[in-house]
Amino acid sequence: MSRPVLTTARLRLDPLTEQHLEELVELDSDPEVLRFIFGRALTRDEVEQEWLAKRLRPHAHARGIGYWAGFVDQAFVGWWCLGVDDEDPQAAELGYRLRRTAWGRGYATEGSRAMLDHGFGTVGLARVWGETMAVNAGSRHVMEKLGMRLVRSYVGEWEYPLPGADQGEVVYEITRAAYLELG
């Protein structure tokens, strides 16, 4: 199964490929976008290593999961993903990263809902989970709007010291049955 183009009322989500590298470099060059992830902007070399070496994994694409580049009209607004869960083949990690100009417009929720529809409906996943820093109120709100429930929190170790890291990280999840009940 390949990753299809997904559409919502306002978004077109194209399977993310190496052709989107320039958009990814621009996105990850904004330190505010990465404040809860790396705490700083990434260099072009770091973006290339992150995406080309780690994120664009062919075995995920064959399952119909992976990463999508999001567009409003023709403008790149960010990416969404159903990431491989190496411990549970019936689960995937929900993720998203948006340009600052796209914040506060409902795109994170809209694109994430498309990910859940695809993951549960087309791929047949049993569970989707997401993780963020406890202080990342925006991402927590998105996951709660999707019907995801807080299942645990913990204090992890960070490669880079981030403000708020001492408050830990949170994991939310939703099962296929719970998502279908939401209608």
Side-chain angles (χ1 to χ4, degrees), residues 95-140:
Y96 43 85
R97 188 175 302 167
L98 277 69
R99 298 171 107 173
R100 252 195 291 176
T101 57
W103 292 359
R105 298 174 185 236
Y107 296 136
T109 304
E110 188 173 330
S112 295
R113 194 164 279 122
M115 293 291 108
L116 294 178
D117 289 344
H118 174 68
F120 291 134
T122 306
V123 178
L125 296 172
R127 179 176 63 90
V128 173
W129 57 275
E131 181 174 3
T132 191
M133 289 181 67
V135 296
N136 189 345
S139 280
R140 293 183 74 169

Side-chain angles (χ1 to χ4, degrees), residues 33-108:
V33 168
L34 298 179
R35 75 176 178 233
F36 296 118
I37 304 165
F38 296 104
R40 64 177 177 81
L42 297 182
T43 66
R44 179 182 192 83
D45 287 344
E46 288 172 320
V47 173
E48 288 179 359
Q49 181 180 1
E50 178 79 11
W51 286 100
L52 301 180
K54 296 179 184 174
R55 304 266 184 194
L56 299 176
R57 299 178 0 174
H59 73 278
H61 306 168
R63 292 184 49 210
I65 64 175
Y67 289 77
W68 282 261
F71 296 88
V72 172
D73 298 319
Q74 298 302 315
F76 175 78
V77 294
W79 59 259
W80 285 260
C81 78
L82 289 171
V84 171
D85 183 329
D86 291 324
E87 295 177 13
D88 183 354
Q90 291 298 310
E93 178 182 11
L94 174 67
Y96 43 85
R97 188 175 302 167
L98 277 69
R99 298 171 107 173
R100 252 195 291 176
T101 57
W103 292 359
R105 298 174 185 236
Y107 296 136

